[in-house]
Amino acid sequence: MNQSPEARIVQREIVVLILLCAASVVGFLATRSAAAANRARRIEDATFWYDRGQRDLAAGRTTEGIADLRRAIALDRDNRTYHLGLARALADDHQDDAARRILIGVRETSPEDPAVNLQLARLDAHRGDWTSAVRYYQNALYGLWTGDATAPRRQIRIELIKDLLAHDQRARALSEVLVLSNNLPDDATSRLVVAQLLVDAGEPARALDEFRRVLRVDQRNAAALAGAGAAAFQAGDYSTAHRYLHSAGSLSADASEIRAVTDMVLTRDPLQARLSLRDRQERAVQNVNRAVELLAECRASQSSGRLTSQVVDSLEAEAGAMTRNLTLKALRQSPETLDQAVDLVYRIARQTVDVCAAATPLDRALLIIGRRHEAERQ
Amino acid sequence: MKSVAAPLQQLRLREHQLFLALTIVVGVLAGLAAVLFTVAIDRVTRLLFGLDPTGMRLFLVPILVSLLTGILLARVFPDVRGSGVPQTEAAYHLRDGLIPGRVPLGKFLTGVLCIASGHSMGREGPSVQIGAGLASVVGQWVSLPPKRIRDLVPVGAAGALAAAFNTPVAAVLFALEEIIGDMNASLLGSTVVASVAAVVVERSILGNEPLFRVPAYHLQHPAELLAYAGLGVAGGILSLIFCKGLLSVRRGFLALPVWTRTWQPAVGGLLIGAMLIVAPQVMGVGYEYVDQALNGGLVLRTMALLCALKIVATTVSYSSGNAGGIFAPTLYIGAMAGGAVGTLVHQFAPFPTAEPGAYALVGMGALFAGIIRAPMTSVFMIFEITQDYQILVPLMVANLLSFFISRRFQPTPVYHALLHQDHVHLPSSAPAIRPAAWTAADVMSDDVAFFPEAMSVDELWRMSQHTAPAEFLIGTRERLIGIVKPQHLASAMESGRASEPIRSLVVDRMVHTHEDHPSDVVLERLAQTHGLLPVMARDDAQHLVGVVTMGNILQFMRHRRAEGRAMTTDEAAESAASSG
């Protein structure tokens, strides 16, 4: 059994290597366990800092809140909630660039995260980079959602439409509204939202259709009645607007204003169909008188702006002459005088309303009447 | 001959195989040690400071823990102070890679305590020493030949650094560039294997996470290179300030009596504690703040302030003798300086520029190149961190400028200068153009006289009248204080300083040589003396191993010529006999 010295050396080396390998395995397991425990503790600490940061932010201590959120991220770098929280806090603190950098960093690891894309969209919309904002909104809409994404997607699309409208992107907004209307449940609330967005997008006729769909189910729906009235008013259908607005009951201040203007349009238009000549003459005289009052207000006001006294004098002279011509006899001989009276009132209203004094519903009605007949003439 | 060659070949083959196996094992062990070191620092920091420390706790913890580490460093582990990189270099170059087992253990313990107690120091330097120490211990345990033990040292260092920083390529380059001092070293393969093994271990435990998360930065405009060049200049100046400050403050601490060494770390702890109350961001490694600077999370004023405070804090922590590295502080200072410069450039440059984070990134590289003096490692390290080619050109511009400025005004690299302060002189890494005819060891003699430092000028003067040596060696063989030149002695006598101790005449900078210095270096240095050139040990530059005089050289040459002539005669006789 006597081994040679060389064999003994080889045997010893093998034993040492086996022992070293065993030590490495044990060391690996021990280190991994220690690292896992440490990681768990860091995550716990990160939660503490995140919660404290949120409390600080809620209490208005922005600087402290942001510092706490940064500590949370340093301890748990993979937690996207912390990154999003910090980005939101920075954006609220007007540090848009810093917020954007954080979001871009998170997006590199999860490009289809809807929350990240949505925040980026809001930041870009805020800084006026509209192309980029729309791209991020689209990424958010078609991102990877967990659970039922219908409601949040709808909210994002509505937000996108509102932003598009705010930036005068009506055509694009309209196409998004149409997509939205196709994906909405057929209930009153959803239809009213779509209808209002159509009004805002400058599509009152389509909006009126949506309001009517609601009213077919619920004739007494006040919001639908008011909305339909406003949509009809925008579409130039004053009779319909009058009908809906008077059925709506209590109205908001804006809707009340629209109702008042609608009433004036319907009661002060001298060229309206099925009126006697006397009625036409009375309406025309009343309107010219109001035009003269507007000129007087301008003369008294210091803020007449571009309206010079010569112009006022000239218009007053025209109005005086028109008043004298607006007799029944004269109107029978030359009915076109009524057209001239409407035109004169429109010219005076255009130059004075909102320049010399705040417009009354009657003034707005006079402008609408004048504009409508001018369009008819053309 | 055949019967001897076969087993020899087999033996050599077995040694290669064993070395390869050990390289992998050392890589794994070094990686595990580096990960455990990182985790331990994190845990102990949390333990010592809690989650949300009060000002009092920030102040007291560094002081109290430094009292304990001071005792450990002075009495139990005296060879683990400071970074660990210079000690590893010394072990590799001067001690055949022999590192005692207590070194990795002591470095781990004291490193964890020092860094976790708030000292502004890095974990990479200690990791390097721990990895190298483990490698050496394993080599000694397996009874490898001395050369192989020595070879394992940079292998362990590369593994540890790769795991500590998650940058395997930079770790290999660092081992070659800094530890070995030769980019063409034959150990390239072994360091790569160990580095890969360590990184595999590290990633399987901590995940494949880069140390810093950095967005992709690009050069926005060609003129921006000028801004990066400016950053390189600023980096070079800051490197100089840091190196010179560190060396001079450390010189001050080293000049204090030896018994104070136990308490010096606590003095550092006191200053650090005071600083932490004002700026807790300078605590420990500080990578979370580097990450913020890289991602544009800090404002100009904060970055400028942290840059200045970190320089002071690291100088204090290191100089007072605590255990920890300057690798991480270097990156921290660079990130803050770069971020500050970047913010200014971003605000005022008339051309489009990258975000300040890009400058913070390049600043890290610039300071690393300027302080550590490893420009290749620096470039690859930043590249591995960012994984972005776009930043390479600005990085190289800034790195080279910083490197050249630092080298111009501080010729000795900081790690070597730190070793000089400990009286350790590493051999030059410059390759020899041709083999030397002889070295200092061949010609030196150890027949020298020493004069005690307490001797008076008058006594030495009287003795010199009889002996008349070229120069006087003051001190003992083990602790040479310096040299006194005859003309200094004469002028002291003339100026009435006869009663003063002779140590008052000792010249500060003593021209000396080392045993391995070749003939040209010896002759050049001998010409700077009055005829007596001391030969000092490399691992203890106060220990005199011999002296060289012109007489020694002439005697050696005569002896060699005689030997040559005798050899020629023998050869001629042999030739005549064979032909006959």
Side-chain angles (χ1 to χ4, degrees):
Chain A
M1 286 301 285
N2 274 351
Q3 287 179 324
S4 68
E6 196 181 321
R8 272 206 300 277
I9 291 170
V10 171
Q11 205 172 36
R12 183 175 177 279
E13 283 171 355
I14 290 170
V15 170
V16 167
L17 272 178
I18 289 169
L19 285 175
L20 282 172
C21 290
S24 301
V25 172
V26 172
F28 179 81
L29 294 173
T31 308
R32 196 171 65 169
S33 153
N38 192 48
R39 168 102 188 114
R41 195 264 309 156
R42 284 174 72 92
I43 288 172
E44 220 171 88
D45 289 356
T47 312
F48 167 82
W49 286 113
Y50 179 74
D51 292 343
R52 205 173 97 165
Q54 293 297 332
R55 282 199 302 276
D56 282 339
L57 290 171
R61 296 187 296 270
T62 311
T63 311
E64 290 86 348
I66 288 172
D68 291 342
L69 293 180
R70 286 196 191 281
R71 281 194 197 104
I73 289 172
L75 289 164
D76 186 6
R77 294 198 301 183
D78 292 329
N79 195 317
R80 276 184 312 177
T81 309
Y82 298 169
H83 285 278
L84 290 176
L86 176 60
R88 208 173 295 125
L90 288 167
D92 291 345
D93 196 36
H94 310 295
Q95 300 182 43
D96 285 5
D97 285 347
R100 198 166 186 279
R101 269 195 297 271
I102 289 170
L103 292 170
I104 293 283
V106 179
R107 196 175 177 274
E108 274 175 19
T109 52
S110 48
E112 293 182 322
D113 186 313
V116 174
N117 281 299
L118 180 61
Q119 281 209 46
L120 276 167
R122 286 172 181 163
L123 283 175
D124 283 349
H126 186 245
R127 69 174 183 166
D129 186 351
W130 196 243
T131 314
S132 176
V134 171
R135 196 179 77 235
Y136 285 125
Y137 270 124
Q138 299 287 0
N139 288 337
L141 282 169
Y142 301 109
L144 288 176
W145 292 85
T146 50
D148 184 11
T150 317
R153 270 196 177 126
R154 192 183 306 148
Q155 280 308 314
I156 291 174
R157 199 178 292 283
I158 290 170
E159 188 179 319
L160 169 63
I161 293 164
K162 285 179 176 170
D163 271 350
L164 284 166
L165 290 172
H167 289 83
D168 213 22
Q169 307 257 322
R170 281 173 181 250
R172 205 160 183 176
L174 183 60
S175 64
E176 291 294 338
V177 177
L178 295 177
V179 175
L180 179 71
S181 71
N182 288 334
N183 293 319
L184 278 178
D186 198 13
D187 58 49
T189 316
S190 305
R191 289 291 147 206
L192 284 174
V193 169
V194 171
Q196 189 54 51
L197 289 171
L198 284 166
V199 171
D200 296 341
E203 285 292 321
R206 285 182 177 172
L208 189 55
D209 287 344
E210 290 292 336
F211 284 122
R212 279 176 174 153
R213 281 172 75 175
V214 177
L215 290 170
R216 273 200 288 274
V217 180
D218 178 8
Q219 289 181 348
R220 296 250 159 249
N221 190 314
L225 285 168
F233 176 83
Q234 228 179 67
D237 185 353
Y238 299 103
S239 313
T240 308
H242 178 264
R243 184 157 47 86
Y244 283 125
L245 289 169
H246 280 274
S247 311
S250 64
L251 291 171
S252 65
D254 284 351
S256 298
E257 167 92 6
I258 291 171
R259 185 168 66 185
V261 175
T262 307
D263 290 348
M264 289 295 174
V265 170
L266 293 176
T267 55
R268 296 295 286 266
D269 185 357
L271 298 176
Q272 198 173 308
R274 290 187 291 280
L275 282 180
S276 65
L277 189 63
R278 177 172 294 279
D279 287 343
R280 290 181 199 280
Q281 183 251 354
E282 276 177 10
R283 288 183 179 193
V285 168
Q286 282 174 344
N287 292 352
V288 172
N289 287 344
R290 174 59 192 157
V292 170
E293 278 173 26
L294 283 169
L295 287 170
E297 279 174 24
C298 267
R299 194 185 287 284
S301 156
Q302 295 300 312
S303 58
S304 52
R306 62 203 161 134
L307 202 62
T308 59
S309 55
Q310 290 93 333
V311 175
V312 174
D313 289 346
S314 157
L315 287 170
E316 265 182 348
E318 270 191 74
M322 182 58 72
T323 309
R324 284 192 294 278
N325 288 338
L326 282 175
T327 59
L328 284 171
K329 189 179 166 191
L331 287 175
R332 272 191 208 105
Q333 284 170 356
S334 54
E336 70 275 8
T337 309
L338 275 174
D339 288 315
Q340 288 164 1
V342 168
D343 179 57
L344 175 65
V345 170
Y346 180 50
R347 277 191 286 130
I348 293 171
R350 244 187 355 192
Q351 298 208 51
T352 56
V353 168
D354 283 335
V355 174
C356 305
T360 62
L362 173 59
D363 300 336
R364 299 212 180 285
L366 292 177
L367 281 168
I368 290 169
I369 292 164
R371 202 179 296 130
R372 197 161 63 153
H373 291 302
E374 187 184 52
E376 281 169 7
R377 277 200 300 277
Q378 286 171 356
Chain B
M1 285 297 280
K2 213 173 187 181
S3 60
V4 179
L8 204 67
Q9 181 68 22
Q10 205 178 357
L11 199 69
R12 201 171 290 150
L13 188 68
R14 207 191 69 232
E15 193 183 298
H16 280 304
Q17 288 165 344
L18 179 65
F19 188 75
L20 178 65
L22 285 177
T23 297
I24 297 168
V25 171
V26 162
V28 170
L29 288 176
L32 286 173
V35 172
L36 199 60
F37 190 58
T38 305
V39 170
I41 289 171
D42 206 28
R43 285 301 288 249
V44 177
T45 305
R46 174 72 166 78
L47 194 74
L48 291 173
F49 287 100
L51 194 54
D52 190 14
T54 59
M56 184 56 78
R57 199 164 177 179
L58 285 169
F59 179 66
L60 286 179
V61 167
I63 303 171
L64 297 176
V65 177
S66 298
L67 283 171
L68 171 66
T69 49
I71 294 168
L72 285 173
L73 287 164
R75 313 230 168 126
V76 190
F77 307 112
D79 32 16
V80 301
R81 284 166 181 264
S83 159
V85 175
Q87 293 94 321
T88 305
E89 289 179 39
Y92 177 78
H93 289 286
L94 306 176
R95 291 171 206 134
D96 282 335
L98 292 177
I99 301 173
R102 70 166 188 279
V103 168
L105 176 69
K107 193 71 176 193
F108 192 97
L109 279 177
T110 55
V112 167
L113 286 173
C114 288
I115 299 169
S117 65
H119 278 288
S120 171
M121 304 180 102
R123 61 182 185 229
E124 290 78 14
S127 296
V128 165
Q129 195 179 12
I130 293 167
L134 284 174
S136 176
V137 168
V138 166
Q140 292 170 57
W141 195 30
V142 184
S143 306
L144 284 180
K147 187 194 170 300
R148 286 302 197 181
I149 294 176
R150 184 175 183 257
D151 286 349
L152 272 185
V153 166
V155 169
L161 188 62
F165 224 34
N166 195 7
T167 53
V169 180
V172 169
L173 288 172
F174 185 78
L176 299 181
E177 199 172 26
E178 186 62 41
I179 307 284
I180 302 176
D182 178 8
M183 294 295 278
N184 300 312
S186 57
L187 286 173
L188 176 65
S190 307
T191 49
V192 168
V193 169
S195 187
V196 169
V199 165
V200 167
V201 166
E202 186 259 344
R203 288 184 184 176
S204 59
I205 293 173
L206 299 180
N208 188 10
E209 272 290 297
L211 195 57
F212 306 112
R213 284 190 180 166
V214 188
Y217 290 122
H218 306 289
L219 193 67
Q220 300 288 327
H221 191 275
E224 210 185 353
L225 278 176
L226 290 173
Y228 284 111
L231 176 58
V233 172
I237 294 167
L238 278 174
S239 301
L240 280 173
I241 292 171
F242 178 74
C243 291
K244 293 211 180 274
L246 176 69
L247 292 170
S248 58
V249 175
R250 188 166 185 263
R251 196 178 302 122
F253 272 103
L254 289 175
L256 295 171
V258 176
W259 65 266
T260 63
R261 299 249 168 114
T262 309
W263 314 113
Q264 283 178 12
V267 173
L270 178 75
L271 296 170
I272 291 297
M275 286 181 79
L276 291 187
I277 297 172
V278 184
Q281 296 97 321
V282 299
M283 180 196 287
V285 178
Y287 281 153
E288 62 269 34
Y289 297 102
V290 174
D291 205 59
Q292 285 187 27
L294 292 172
N295 288 283
L298 297 175
V299 295
L300 172 66
R301 203 171 137 221
T302 308
M303 286 189 283
L305 189 70
L306 289 182
C307 174
L309 287 177
K310 192 73 176 179
I311 290 176
V312 176
T314 309
T315 302
V316 167
S317 292
Y318 197 97
S319 305
S320 56
N322 286 286
I326 56 171
F327 212 97
T330 297
L331 298 179
Y332 187 110
I333 296 163
M336 296 304 155
V341 170
T343 307
L344 289 173
V345 171
H346 200 59
Q347 279 176 5
F348 298 111
F351 45 82
T353 66
E355 296 285 331
Y359 288 81
L361 192 63
V362 173
M364 285 166 66
L367 263 286
F368 193 88
I371 294 173
I372 309 293
R373 299 278 184 82
M376 287 300 290
T377 306
S378 163
V379 168
F380 275 85
M381 184 181 68
I382 301 296
F383 170 63
E384 277 187 288
I385 290 171
T386 60
Q387 296 175 0
D388 184 2
Y389 277 110
Q390 302 282 335
I391 206 74
L392 276 187
V393 175
L395 186 64
M396 286 194 286
V397 168
N399 273 16
L400 286 178
L401 276 168
S402 174
F403 177 75
F404 285 129
I405 289 171
S406 174
R407 198 175 64 171
R408 169 71 182 78
F409 296 102
Q410 165 76 34
T412 313
V414 71
Y415 285 142
H416 292 198
L418 288 168
L419 283 174
H420 282 192
Q421 289 188 336
D422 295 333
H423 310 294
V424 177
H425 292 194
L426 292 181
S428 166
S429 59
I433 296 167
R434 56 190 160 77
W438 45 265
T439 62
D442 297 325
V443 297
M444 72 182 184
S445 79
D446 59 355
D447 181 20
V448 282
F450 295 94
F451 300 91
E453 56 181 309
M455 180 185 267
S456 69
V457 170
D458 181 46
E459 275 178 280
L460 186 64
W461 172 256
R462 274 188 275 113
M463 285 175 78
S464 71
Q465 302 307 306
H466 308 293
T467 55
E471 280 166 316
F472 304 99
L473 298 173
I474 311 302
T476 62
R477 183 179 292 278
E478 288 71 32
R479 190 164 170 274
L480 186 71
I481 304 291
I483 278 179
V484 171
K485 296 182 176 178
Q487 73 267 32
H488 290 165
L489 190 62
S491 64
M493 285 301 290
E494 280 169 21
S495 58
R497 294 167 61 194
S499 60
E500 284 185 20
I502 195 67
R503 67 169 165 269
S504 63
L505 301 185
V506 167
V507 289
D508 282 345
R509 286 186 60 84
M510 180 179 68
V511 178
H512 65 273
T513 185
H514 296 290
E515 288 172 280
D516 57 343
H517 272 156
S519 50
D520 50 344
V521 175
V522 174
L523 288 169
E524 185 197 326
R525 295 195 182 175
L526 187 61
Q528 296 170 33
T529 69
H530 275 254
L532 186 77
L533 180 65
V535 183
M536 313 303 289
R538 275 203 181 276
D539 59 349
D540 180 3
Q542 288 185 309
H543 185 160
L544 185 125
V545 290
V547 292
V548 176
T549 62
M550 195 46 87
N552 296 138
I553 295 171
L554 291 173
Q555 191 181 353
F556 172 77
M557 300 299 281
R558 269 199 299 273
H559 183 67
R560 180 175 271 191
R561 187 181 290 176
E563 266 182 359
R565 208 176 288 142
M567 201 176 285
T568 316
T569 316
D570 288 349
E571 276 168 11
E574 223 171 85
S575 164
S578 63
S579 64

